[in-house]
Every structure is written in structure tokens, then in C-alpha cells.
């Protein structure tokens, strides 16, 4: 029988890697705590309609990337491809906005049926921030600063903040008409994907990864020229706020995000060390989404960081994060000794020590080798003789302390003292 494998694009995170993930998750949580942002957890599975209505039917995500199926109750369900729509649904469903602006973060797996490659998976992980009920341009800059400072604190280098304004729906409608006629005039020079997008979602053509199309687009009408005066002013205030914070940015007039709900500020944080999948964080303002999903008109801004790409960046920098070494490694051999070792291990853990017990029953020499490799500071050894007397030998694996023969409770107390000293 063929051995079972994980599905394509679904990746196991092995124990060697989890300490780095835990480190970045803990760092993110600390940044959110300092910014008074509370965590929200929503289901992985939602009604398909939520994403169709929220993200936009004509986006790649809804059009061809969703994991959707009909459940046993004949409902169309979808594994969440992103976090914002679910957060907005939950905020509306529970009336949270009646309590004032909401500062929320979420984290966890997202699912998109894409072609897997470095930095692109079918199950991937995001952490994201959503500030709901805030309309002022300084909030756009505040959201960006939270992402920027988190990435900086994690030690990610070579980052660039790219910024654009998508204006109001009216601005975009005006621009769309201009762009479509320009695209139609250049139809034959466009790649096939872009040709298809002219009618479905013309702004997405700007985001084409095809180099020929990108070169051609240098001559296309610019969204910036289509913005109304007020949109320009608003964008200027976002830039001033970023300048006040000392966060550098470059303007990218062709930056459009892959989700239809964005307007005004759109941004990406990219790294030159990520190859084709350069964007580690993407976000922007989505003032229309809450209302579109049935809630009260609510201004909002947010972003999401892709954790796999962040991990790629961190591992390039050799940011090795090791799991905790045990305080005590417990070695035993023989039936009674193993029982006593089990009791000792539990007592140590109850007292707050990190205890690893060797349950192999292997020769003492082999167990000692493993104790050494574990990085533990101390080993406790229980053989037949110790078991008969209910004691264990305490050995200093890293220092010069003489070996001691101690009853279990004393051994634990001794280590607690050594740890606090
Ligand atoms: P891309 O243009 O790379 O497909 P996107 O615009 O679809 O990105 P968003 O929906 O804005 O991405 O998601 C925010 C972040 O989540 C991205 O910047 C990226 O870091 C990460 N991300 C998105 N899709 C994937 C994926 N399939 N695998 C891994 N990370 C992803
Ligand atoms: Mg995408």
C-alpha cells in the first residue's frame, strides 16, 4: 500500500521549527498587547456567501482559490481564505460596534487553492489586525506602524513599505472606465490572464506579475490622476503621519490589493529577499465592507502578515530559536526504578521544573548520551539500588557539583534552589 502523504500544499510544521513559530507568535502577541488590541477567534469554516459578498466575486480568491463544499445539510461552506471577512461578520453578528471602535487581531490557518511554491501554500498562516470604527488618516498610519514595528522587532531586514491610494468608489469607477478603454486599445499586447480581467476586474491587471504586461502598463492612465481632490488630501495626511513616525515608504501607483473591499490607503510590506513571493504584509482601508456585509456604515483599516514568508525571512537571517532545554533529565532502568523515575518526573513538573524522562529502558550509557544531547543541566539516575531506598542520584551535567544521593522531594527542592540561585 502506498504510504499516506499530506495533501499538496498542506505543510507539516515539525518540532524543530515550532520554537521559531512560537517566538514570532509570542512577539506578535506582545506588540498587540502594547497597542491595546484584543484577540478574536472565528471559525475556520464559514458560509461561502460571506466571502463571495465580502471579497468580491471577480477576485482570484473567490473565483478560483476557495476550498468550498456542500455539507450534509446542503449548505455551501468554505474554508476561510483570509481573516477580514470573518472578523467583520463576527463584529456585526455580536453587535460589537455599538460598544465603540474595535481594535482586534486574529491568527491562524487560511486556505487557498493555489499553485504551491516557496512562500505559497494551500494551507498557510496569517496574523492580522483590524481597526474598526476609525476613519482618520492617522489610524491608517497607526495600523501600518504596528506591522512595521513588529517586523523590525523580529529582526527582519531589507523591508520596504509600498503605498498607494485607491480613492473612493467613485474615483475608482471613473478610473476603471479610463483604464478599460486603454486596455482594450492594447488588448493584443496583454498576457492572456490580463485580457480576461479587462471585463471582470480591470484594476487587477495593474497587479499582473507578467513582466511584458508590467512594462506596457507604464503607459497606462494612472489611478492617482483620477483621484478627487479630497482623496488626494486624505492620502497626503496618511503620508504626513508616516513621516511623523519616521517610517519610510515608496509610492507605488500600481499597487492594488487582491481583495475588492479596499479603498483609499492600500499598502504592502515587501522584502527583496523573498523572490517572486515578495509581499510579507498586505493591507489597507476598507470603509465599505462592514455595511456591505449588513452592518452599520463603519470605517476600518487592517492588514495581514503571511507567517510562512516571515519565517522564510527569519530563517535566512539564521535566527535560530531553540526549544527549552530540560532542567532535569531522568534516567532509570529496571521495573521499580522506572516507577520511581515516573514519580520523580511528576514531582519535578509539579514544582515547575522542565523534566524529560527517558523511558527507553536502554543501557545507562545510552541514556546518559541522550541526557547530554538534550541540553539538560542535571540528570537524575535511578537504578535498582536507588529504587529500593526511594532515592535518586543527582548529577551535574554541565558543572562541577559533586554527585548527591537524595530522596525525591529533596532532589526537587535542591534543583529549585539551584535554578533560583
Ligand atoms: P499574493 O499577491 O502574494 O498572492 P495576496 O495579495 O493574495 O498575496 P493577501 O490576501 O493580502 O495576499 O494576504 C496577505 C499576506 O498573506 C500576503 O502578503 C502573504 O504574505 C500571505 N499569503 C497570501 N497567500 C498566501 C499563500 N497562498 N501562501 C502563503 N502565504 C500567503
Ligand atoms: Mg494571492
Amino acid at each position: 500500500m502506498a504510504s499516506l502523504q499530506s495533501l499538496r500544499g498542506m505543510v507539516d510544521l515539525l518540532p524543530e521549527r515550532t520554537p521559531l513559530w512560537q517566538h514570532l507568535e509570542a512577539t506578535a502577541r506582545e506588540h498587540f498587547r502594547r497597542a491595546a488590541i484584543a484577540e478574536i477567534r472565528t471559525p475556520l469554516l464559514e458560509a461561502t456567501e460571506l466571502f463571495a459578498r465580502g471579497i468580491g466575486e471577480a477576485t482570484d480568491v473567490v473565483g478560483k482559490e476557495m476550498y468550498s463544499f456542500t455539507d450534509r445539510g446542503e449548505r455551501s461552506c468554505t474554508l476561510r481564505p483570509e481573516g477580514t471577512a470573518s472578523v467583520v461578520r463576527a463584529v456585526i453578528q455580536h453587535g460589537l460596534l455599538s460598544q465603540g471602535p474595535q481594535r482586534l487581531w486574529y491568527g491562524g490557518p487560511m486556505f487557498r487553492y493555489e499553485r504551491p511554491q516557496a512562500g505559497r501554500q494551500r494551507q498557510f498562516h496569517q496574523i492580522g489586525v483590524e481597526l474598526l470604527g476609525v476613519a482618520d488618516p492617522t489610524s491608517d498610519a497607526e495600523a501600518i506602524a504596528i506591522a512595521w514595528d513588529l517586523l523590525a522587532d523580529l529582526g527582519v531586514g531589507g523591508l520596504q513599505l509600498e503605498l498607494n491610494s485607491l480613492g473612493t468608489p467613485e474615483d475608482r469607477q471613473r478610473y476603471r472606465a479610463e483604464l478599460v478603454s486603454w486596455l482594450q486599445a492594447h488588448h493584443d499586447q496583454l498576457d492572456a490572464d490580463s485580457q480576461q480581467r479587462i471585463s471582470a476586474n480591470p484594476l487587477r491587471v495593474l497587479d499582473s506579475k507578467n513582466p511584458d504586461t508590467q512594462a506596457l502598463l507604464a503607459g497606462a492612465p494612472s489611478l492617482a490622476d483620477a483621484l478627487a481632490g479630497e482623496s488626494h488630501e486624505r492620502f497626503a495626511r496618511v503620508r504626513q503621519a508616516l513621516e511623523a513616525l519616521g517610517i519610510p515608504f515608496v509610492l507605488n501607483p500600481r499597487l492594488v490589493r487582491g481583495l475588492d473591499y479596499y479603498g483609499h490607503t492600500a499598502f504592502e510590506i515587501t522584502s527583496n529577499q523573498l523572490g517572486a513571493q515578495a509581499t510579507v504584509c498586505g493591507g489597507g482601508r476598507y470603509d465599505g465592507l462592514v455595511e456591505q456585509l449588513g452592518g452599520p456604515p463603519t470605517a476600518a483599516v487592517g492588514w495581514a502578515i503571511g507567517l510562512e514568508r516571515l519565517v522564510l525571512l527569519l530563517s535566512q537571517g539564521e535566527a535560530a530559536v531553540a526549544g527549552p532545554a530540560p532542567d532535569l533529565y531522568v534516567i532509570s532502568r529496571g521495573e521499580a526504578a522506572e516507577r520511581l523515575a515516573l514519580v520523580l518526573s511528576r514531582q519535578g513538573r509539579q514544582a515547575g521544573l522542565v523534566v524529560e524522562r527517558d523511558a527507553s529502558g536502554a543501557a545507562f550509557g545510552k541514556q546518559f548520551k541522550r541526557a547530554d544531547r538534550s541540553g539538560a543541566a542535571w540528570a537524575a539516575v535511578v537504578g535498582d539500588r536507588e529504587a529500593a531506598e526511594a532515592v535518586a542520584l543527582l548529577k551535574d551535567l554541565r558543572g562541577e557539583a559533586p554527585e548527591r544521593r537524595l530522596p525525591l522531594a529533596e532532589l526537587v527542592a535542591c534543583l529549585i534552589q539551584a535554578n533560583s540561585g
Side-chain angles (χ1 to χ4, degrees):
M1 197 172 75
S3 63
L4 286 168
Q5 302 271 314
S6 61
L7 292 170
R8 191 164 138 78
M10 308 273 174
V11 177
D12 295 311
L13 194 53
L14 300 179
E16 183 189 55
R17 304 290 286 162
T18 46
L20 177 57
W21 280 72
Q22 288 171 347
H23 164 67
L24 63 90
E25 286 159 2
T27 308
R29 267 197 299 277
E30 175 58 14
H31 277 251
F32 299 150
R33 191 183 67 80
R34 289 189 215 161
I37 299 173
E39 184 182 7
I40 183 166
R41 299 188 189 189
T42 63
L44 301 194
L45 204 56
E46 296 272 4
T48 301
E49 189 197 354
L50 170 65
F51 304 113
R53 267 172 59 188
I55 300 172
E57 300 270 11
T59 59
D60 281 355
V61 171
V62 173
K64 51 188 188 195
E65 294 175 0
M66 294 207 303
Y67 278 90
S68 300
F69 63 93
T70 310
D71 75 3
R72 291 169 196 275
E74 302 294 318
R75 281 168 294 253
S76 178
C77 304
T78 295
L79 283 168
R80 64 181 187 191
E82 58 104 52
T84 304
S86 304
V87 169
V88 168
R89 185 220 19 90
V91 161
I92 297 170
Q93 183 173 335
H94 302 284
L96 299 187
L97 288 163
S98 64
Q99 300 161 25
Q102 296 291 309
R103 302 167 67 81
L104 303 171
W105 73 270
Y106 63 84
M110 306 292 162
F111 303 85
R112 295 185 195 178
Y113 198 82
E114 300 192 72
R115 193 167 71 77
Q117 48 199 299
R120 195 176 291 287
Q121 298 174 184
R122 290 182 173 174
Q123 176 175 329
F124 62 101
H125 298 79
Q126 290 183 336
I127 48 168
V129 161
E130 314 290 358
L131 307 179
L132 296 126
V134 292
D136 58 298
T138 49
S139 289
D140 305 34
E142 182 180 1
I144 291 172
I146 291 164
W148 186 261
D149 291 345
L150 170 59
L151 294 170
D153 196 14
L154 285 166
V156 187
L159 293 180
Q160 177 161 291
L161 169 61
E162 299 186 23
L163 198 63
N164 193 20
S165 173
L166 305 176
T168 62
E170 296 74 41
D171 293 338
R172 286 194 295 287
Q173 206 162 3
R174 221 177 8 253
Y175 176 63
R176 189 174 294 128
E178 268 181 65
L179 181 65
V180 165
S181 51
W182 187 90
L183 291 171
Q184 276 162 348
H186 296 78
H187 182 274
D188 295 347
Q189 292 156 268
L190 293 167
D191 61 276
D193 251 4
S194 297
Q195 289 175 344
Q196 281 191 334
R197 285 186 172 135
I198 296 180
S199 53
N201 199 350
L203 264 67
R204 290 293 291 159
V205 176
L206 298 179
D207 192 38
S208 167
K209 305 286 188 289
N210 182 299
D212 295 334
T213 301
Q214 271 304 325
L216 181 71
L217 285 167
S222 150
L223 174 56
D225 296 335
L227 296 190
E230 278 175 30
S231 301
H232 272 298
E233 264 162 51
R234 188 182 191 289
F235 191 36
R237 288 172 63 195
V238 173
R239 298 197 309 265
Q240 284 159 9
L242 286 169
E243 278 155 13
L245 291 167
I247 296 178
F249 56 84
V250 294
L251 297 179
N252 177 354
R254 276 186 240 145
L255 191 154
V256 289
R257 310 287 352 284
L259 313 168
D260 277 353
Y261 48 62
Y262 288 113
H264 288 301
T265 308
F267 71 93
E268 291 190 352
I269 301 177
T270 59
S271 163
N272 51 15
Q273 292 158 38
L274 275 175
Q277 272 60 249
T279 305
V280 62
C281 175
R285 185 158 274 285
Y286 51 94
D287 291 347
L289 183 61
V290 179
E291 197 175 7
Q292 195 181 313
L293 292 178
T298 305
V301 60
W303 51 256
I305 287 177
L307 293 187
E308 278 78 10
R309 292 185 199 176
L310 183 52
V311 165
L312 277 177
L313 286 172
L314 289 174
S315 0
Q316 280 168 0
E318 298 294 321
V321 177
D327 300 308
L328 178 66
Y329 193 96
V330 179
I331 290 170
S332 64
R333 195 163 149 83
E335 212 182 304
E338 282 167 11
R339 231 172 0 248
L340 195 72
L342 177 67
V343 172
L344 171 61
S345 303
R346 184 189 190 202
Q347 284 182 3
R349 291 166 189 156
Q350 285 172 332
L353 297 171
V354 180
V355 182
E356 181 170 348
R357 185 176 75 92
D358 195 316
S360 66
F364 279 119
K366 273 198 176 162
Q367 294 194 47
F368 267 111
K369 271 207 189 106
R370 274 200 288 263
D372 198 47
R373 247 186 288 137
S374 77
W378 301 88
V381 187
V382 189
D384 290 336
R385 222 163 349 123
E386 288 74 27
E389 296 168 30
V391 298
L393 299 178
L394 180 61
K395 284 180 184 284
D396 187 352
L397 294 176
R398 313 285 150 193
E400 304 284 301
E403 182 180 306
R404 297 173 70 184
R405 212 179 157 79
L406 296 166
L408 305 193
E410 259 177 69
L411 190 149
V412 170
C414 181
L415 284 186
I416 299 278
Q417 205 176 15
N419 263 8
S420 64

